[in-house]
Amino acid sequence: MAKCFGVTAPDQAAASLVDRIMLRLGGAHIYVPRRTTRERLRTYGEIANRFNGSNLFELAREYGMTPRHLRRIIAAQKIRKISQG
């Protein structure tokens, strides 16, 4: 594919892609998620399943999230389970 744009080496392809993105979106704030939605939901379900009421800070360290964010995830997962039956 890189050859279609006149690029022969992988480093040049990456630089060319970055240049094109900068030209098109330069100055804009862009959010690039770390995970796909499916992966994120799987992780959230795993967190909710592992939460036992006293391991909030341990899970926060393990998953690299704040305790506050984990509380929101756990609450949302409870609501999700209730609504699914």
Side-chain angles (χ1 to χ4, degrees):
M1 178 136 161
K3 288 183 181 180
C4 295
F5 293 104
V7 179
T8 56
D11 291 341
Q12 289 177 338
S16 176
L17 179 60
V18 169
D19 287 343
R20 288 175 181 274
I21 291 170
M22 286 173 37
L23 283 172
R24 187 117 194 245
L25 303 171
H29 293 276
I30 303 168
Y31 173 73
V32 179
R34 292 183 186 182
R35 301 184 278 268
T36 63
T37 301
R38 180 179 294 153
E39 291 170 335
R40 189 177 63 247
L41 291 176
R42 183 183 50 78
T43 301
Y44 288 2
E46 186 178 300
I47 289 168
N49 289 335
R50 291 186 56 201
F51 179 66
N52 64 17
S54 64
N55 62 345
L56 182 71
F57 294 100
E58 178 185 322
L59 291 172
R61 274 191 303 276
E62 185 177 331
Y63 287 96
M65 299 178 187
T66 64
R68 182 178 182 186
H69 187 60
L70 283 182
R71 285 187 193 102
R72 286 193 300 251
I73 290 170
I74 293 163
Q77 291 297 313
K78 285 181 183 177
I79 290 170
R80 193 171 191 208
K81 283 182 182 179
I82 291 170
S83 68
Q84 289 179 350

